Amino acid sequence: IAVQPANQTAPVGTSATFNVIASGTPPLTYQWKFNGTNISGATDNLLALTNIQFTDGGNYSVLVSNLAGVAISSNATLTVSTSCAPSLPGLISWWRGEGSANDLLGANNGVASSGVTYVPSHVGMGFHLDGSSYIRIPASASLNLSNELSIELWCAAENNNEVGLVSRRDNESGPLNYELGMIPGSRISVLFNDPAVSGDTDAPGSTFEISRYEPAPASGGFHHLAATFKQVTAGTVELDTFLDGQLVRIRSFSANLSRAVNDGADVFI
């Protein structure tokens, strides 16, 4: 083996390529290994990995052979980066799920209910919520709608049940102040409740001002969701919905965020 495969570091979701250069009487055959186990179909001098996840981190090597014998390369280590993009100005709170429900900025620490666990996520660790468990963040004026508030998160649904991803409410059943929710495979909902408004909603008959985007991503993979609540004029509220970095829905209401009910409620994740 003239050139050994080299160590690499790659962020989650990106790609990496290992390369080996060998000499000898042709034909040369190649078999790449991951932590000592053969990788099915990896029989070229190049090994390309796409959509890298944390489970892909480890040692890669390649066995090169011809009629004269075999040679095994040294290990090349793939390190999967856990770093996030730099936070934006104006960040209020960030619940990373790195083994606790604490707010990275320290102002709005959450309390995990029974059933909350911490598992490998899209970047680092994250919350695993079983359908009845939740993170409860005590009421804080910094989490009020005011003139503009944005919510963003990475999530991977395990089933197609409806879920309130981030909800501000008095308790587990409501009434709601604002919410970002989803039915995987069906729709993403962004909503608030101005009691002075009636009938202006994507869900006729609802008491909420709801903006819906269809279809929502199916369960089984990570997706980035975000919602922005904006008081664009004294009497107009705009709800913006983002999916995987793309603005997918803009919905305006004749309403006022300052009238939204329960602006002193807790926030649930």
Side-chain angles (χ1 to χ4, degrees):
I1 296 177
V3 177
Q4 300 282 351
N7 295 336
Q8 295 197 47
T9 299
V12 169
T14 60
S15 303
T17 300
F18 292 102
N19 178 43
V20 67
I21 298 177
S23 60
T25 304
L28 299 178
T29 62
Y30 303 86
Q31 176 60 63
W32 286 91
K33 299 174 180 288
F34 175 56
N35 291 335
T37 300
N38 288 351
I39 303 172
S40 178
T43 55
D44 201 350
N45 66 310
L46 295 176
L47 174 65
L49 304 175
T50 60
N51 191 26
I52 291 170
Q53 302 299 311
F54 286 102
T55 52
D56 296 316
N59 293 322
Y60 291 82
S61 60
V62 60
L63 184 74
V64 185
S65 62
N66 64 6
L67 292 176
V70 299
I72 183 71
S73 74
S74 58
N75 284 328
T77 301
L78 174 63
T79 301
V80 182
S81 172
T82 60
S83 60
C84 292
S87 59
L88 297 175
L91 183 66
I92 298 170
S93 291
W94 184 4
W95 299 277
R96 298 182 65 190
E98 294 286 349
S100 79
N102 289 341
D103 171 13
L104 181 68
L105 277 65
N108 295 300
N109 291 333
V111 178
S113 74
S114 61
V116 174
T117 56
Y118 304 91
V119 298
S121 187
H122 190 65
V123 178
M125 302 294 285
F127 303 117
H128 181 266
L129 309 175
D130 61 10
S132 60
S133 57
Y134 51 82
I135 306 298
R136 185 174 194 144
I137 297 101
S140 168
S142 66
L143 303 177
N144 288 357
L145 285 172
S146 64
N147 287 325
E148 185 169 336
L149 178 73
S150 294
I151 302 167
E152 64 171 307
L153 52 87
W154 285 97
C155 70
E158 296 179 322
N159 54 51
N160 291 328
N161 295 337
E162 184 171 10
V163 60
L165 298 167
V166 178
S167 305
R168 192 173 201 193
R169 58 206 319 170
D170 278 341
N171 52 51
E172 291 83 340
S173 59
L176 281 169
N177 178 249
Y178 58 78
E179 180 175 277
L180 168 59
M182 179 174 68
I183 301 177
S186 178
R187 62 179 181 255
I188 301 168
S189 297
V190 181
L191 59 114
F192 68 104
N193 187 359
D194 177 353
V197 178
S198 176
D200 189 7
T201 176
D202 287 350
S206 171
T207 59
F208 304 113
E209 290 66 66
I210 300 178
S211 174
R212 284 181 171 169
Y213 170 74
E214 299 176 347
S219 59
F222 275 100
H223 292 275
H224 187 265
L225 304 182
T228 296
F229 303 77
K230 292 191 289 189
Q231 191 75 50
V232 292
T233 71
T236 305
V237 173
E238 179 181 300
L239 302 185
D240 296 338
T241 305
F242 299 82
L243 173 60
D244 293 330
Q246 301 298 313
L247 177 61
V248 294
R249 174 83 166 131
I250 299 174
R251 177 72 153 84
S252 295
F253 302 86
S254 297
N256 196 295
L257 294 176
S258 66
R259 291 196 300 255
V261 300
N262 283 347
D263 63 358
D266 293 347
V267 173
F268 289 81
I269 299 174

